[in-house]
């Protein structure tokens, strides 16, 4: 039997980027959740995916919209990450954001955003694999990502700069 704490500790040795998944409905209600499991899945067709916890109320609301926007967080967005990882009632309260071509929330300061239609949702253990068909996307010309590694948040350091 694999101990879940040890499993988490070992897999924490692999760094991940941090994203916030956002959506809204026709009534203007907005939802978002922080994830560290975002990945490119396919170039042709362009598909991306992430793995929310099956118990996530934010994901349950986003799922009903049939669409989502991935916001790749920059290293100055730790407080944004913490807000969207919380159970705060209105995670967007006081939060500046724009909108994607399809009207989904894009968080100010995000390094990149990817607007998607939900293509497929697969139940896998205690999480879901959400596959999104990319509809639109863009990236900031500069910036460095927020990274999660061994239970904490970090900044990317260019090895050439670090050894100079």
């Amino acid at each position: 039997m694999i101990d879940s704490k040890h499993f988490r500790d070992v897999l924490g040795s692999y760094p991940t980027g941090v994203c916030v998944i956002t959506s809204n409905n026709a009534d203007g209600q907005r939802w978002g959740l922080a994830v560290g499991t975002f990945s490119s899945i396919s170039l042709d067709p362009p598909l991306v995916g992430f793995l929310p916890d099956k118990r996530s109320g934010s994901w349950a609301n986003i799922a009903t919209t049939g669409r989502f926007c991935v916001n790749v967080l920059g290293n100055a967005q730790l407080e944004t990450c913490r807000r969207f990882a919380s159970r705060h009632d209105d995670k967007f309260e006081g939060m500046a954001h724009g909108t994607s071509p399809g009207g989904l929330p894009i968080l100010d300061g995000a390094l990149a955003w990817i607007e998607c239609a939900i293509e497929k949702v697969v139940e896998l253990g205690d999480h879901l694999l959400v596959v999104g068909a990319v509809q639109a996307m863009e990236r900031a010309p500069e910036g460095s990502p927020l990274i999660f590694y061994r239970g904490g948040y970090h900044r990317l350091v260019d090895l050439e700069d670090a050894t100079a």
Side-chain angles (χ1 to χ4, degrees), residues 2 17 20 42 81 108 130 141 149:
I2 300 293
V20 170
S42 170
C81 172
D108 285 6
V130 178
Y149 174 69

Side-chain angles (χ1 to χ4, degrees), residues 1-17:
M1 182 81 176
I2 300 293
D3 175 69
S4 62
K5 182 180 179 335
H6 184 61
F7 182 75
R8 180 176 273 206
D9 287 347
V10 169
L11 292 175
S13 296
Y14 183 73
T16 63

